[in-house]
């Protein structure tokens, strides 16, 4: 091959488009996984999208992270459907590509694995953000069975509330929103709430109701000699308790 032909070949290959603009036409959703078993498509893990280039060519399964198999680690930015992105070709194979720049982001996943059993997870969609530490729950000791994880602590916050869980479903929970502050332990049936009134409850025992009963019983006391309970004063105390507590 002549030198001029070699130079021309190199020049032609050098002009191959490696990065181009494309429109996101489909966000590919995962089936319920070990990390998220929700039936809601919005919450399913996402690793690839389908796009259409400006010349009309469609490219499927464009990657959102380097390894779409390693689901427990990495950063994933999910673009909005119908938004424009820049896609880059992997090793000059046009059917293999990844998103290199975004115009609009729908949500972000961040996963940092600490060891074989636990990792940190963050998810945000612009309206709400969730931070959680997860631990392996099952599947690790059974061959060919995928691992399943559960939250050991979780913080979820949005513009109108903050919710904190420890050992979710089994431990303590704190909720703060525009209307109330709530602390409770569902397993132990403990509850403290500040809303228009205070509420303190352990199991089926409500503090306001117990105080009402106490005042009622004190009001029944009959003194043969001396001064008995001031029934009017007790009634006033009872009313004020009812104004403070629920």
């Amino acid at each position: 091959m002549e030198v001029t032909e070699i130079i021309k070949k190199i020049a032609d290959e050098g002009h191959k488009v490696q990065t181009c603009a494309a429109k996101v036409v489909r966000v590919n959703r995962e089936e319920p996984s070990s990390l998220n078993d929700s039936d809601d498509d919005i919450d399913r893990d996402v690793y690839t999208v389908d796009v259409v280039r400006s010349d009309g060519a469609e490219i499927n399964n464009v990657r959102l992270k380097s390894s779409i198999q390693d689901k427990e680690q990495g950063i994933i930015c999910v673009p909005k459907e119908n938004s424009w992105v820049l896609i880059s070709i992997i090793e000059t194979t046009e059917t293999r590509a990844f998103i290199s720049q975004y115009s609009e982001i729908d949500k972000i996943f961040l996963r940092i694995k600490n060891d074989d059993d636990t990792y940190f997870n963050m998810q945000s969609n612009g309206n709400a953000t969730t931070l959680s530490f997860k631990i392996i729950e099952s599947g690790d000791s059974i061959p060919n069975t995928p691992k399943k994880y559960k939250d050991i602590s979780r913080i979820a916050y949005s513009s109108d509330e903050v919710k904190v869980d420890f050992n979710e479903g089994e431990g303590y929970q704190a909720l703060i929103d525009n209307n109330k502050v709530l602390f409770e332990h569902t397993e132990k049936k403990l509850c403290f709430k500040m809303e228009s009134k205070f509420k303190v409850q352990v199991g089926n025992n409500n503090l306001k109701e117990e105080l009402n009963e106490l005042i009622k019983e004190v009001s029944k006391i009959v003194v043969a000699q001396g001064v008995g309970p001031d029934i009017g004063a007790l009634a006033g105390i009872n009313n004020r308790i009812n104004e403070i507590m629920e």
Side-chain angles (χ1 to χ4, degrees):
M1 185 181 292
E2 297 291 336
V3 174
T4 53
E5 292 179 357
I6 294 174
I7 294 174
K8 183 176 183 300
K9 184 174 184 295
I10 293 173
D12 289 342
E13 289 181 350
H15 280 85
K16 286 184 177 179
V17 176
Q18 297 296 313
T19 300
C20 63
K23 188 175 184 179
V24 178
V25 294
R26 189 176 303 105
V27 176
N28 298 318
R29 308 289 184 183
E30 286 280 314
E31 290 301 315
S33 70
S34 59
L35 299 176
N36 195 327
D37 57 4
S38 172
D39 290 329
D40 189 344
D41 281 347
I42 295 176
D43 294 328
R44 289 184 184 168
D45 301 317
V46 179
Y47 301 99
T48 67
V49 297
D50 299 339
V51 303
V52 173
R53 297 192 321 195
S54 55
D55 61 3
E58 182 170 337
I59 302 178
N60 297 323
N61 298 316
V62 177
R63 297 186 183 193
L64 300 180
K65 59 180 297 192
S66 60
S67 172
I68 60 175
Q69 301 301 320
D70 187 9
K71 299 180 179 181
E72 297 167 16
Q73 297 194 69
I75 299 175
I76 306 172
C77 295
V78 183
K80 289 185 177 181
E81 288 190 6
N82 298 317
S83 68
W84 284 88
V85 296
L86 293 181
I87 63 168
S88 297
I89 308 302
I90 300 174
E91 296 179 343
T92 69
T93 304
E94 293 192 2
T95 56
R96 298 176 63 225
F98 68 94
I99 293 182
S100 52
Q101 291 292 335
Y102 300 77
S103 63
E104 296 180 83
I105 293 176
D106 187 37
K107 60 182 176 180
I108 296 175
F109 298 95
L110 168 62
R111 295 182 177 132
I112 303 173
K113 195 168 184 178
N114 298 322
D115 50 46
D116 290 337
D117 294 332
T118 63
Y119 71 93
F120 169 78
N121 183 83
M122 184 195 83
Q123 177 175 330
S124 180
N125 62 7
N127 296 317
T129 299
T130 301
L131 309 175
S132 62
F133 281 95
K134 294 178 177 286
I135 190 170
I136 189 169
E137 183 178 28
S138 63
D140 190 35
S141 59
I142 305 174
N144 301 320
T145 302
K147 297 179 180 179
K148 187 174 180 62
Y149 294 84
K150 68 175 182 178
D151 290 339
I152 52 177
S153 61
R154 185 172 183 268
I155 302 174
Y157 58 92
S158 62
S159 59
D160 55 3
E161 76 171 28
V162 177
K163 185 178 181 181
V164 182
D165 289 283
F166 294 95
N167 296 322
E168 189 176 13
E170 303 172 1
Y172 291 95
Q173 179 186 100
L175 172 65
I176 303 172
D177 63 22
N178 294 330
N179 300 311
K180 64 181 177 295
V181 176
L182 174 67
F183 299 94
E184 65 179 352
H185 192 298
T186 53
E187 187 73 15
K188 297 179 180 178
K189 297 183 179 179
L190 303 175
C191 176
F192 174 77
K193 183 172 73 171
M194 291 184 292
E195 201 168 6
S196 58
K197 299 179 181 181
F198 288 92
K199 179 179 180 179
V200 180
Q201 187 160 328
V202 178
N204 295 323
N205 299 319
N206 180 282
L207 182 57
K208 187 203 81 168
E209 293 175 357
E210 297 302 319
L211 290 173
N212 289 162
E213 287 299 316
L214 175 62
I215 292 173
K216 185 188 298 183
E217 293 303 316
V218 171
S219 300
K220 295 179 182 178
I221 296 174
V222 177
V223 179
Q225 295 181 346
V227 180
D230 188 329
I231 303 302
L234 289 173
I237 294 171
N238 198 60
N239 290 335
R240 288 193 293 275
I241 289 174
N242 291 337
E243 292 175 358
I244 296 171
M245 307 189 71
E246 66 173 68

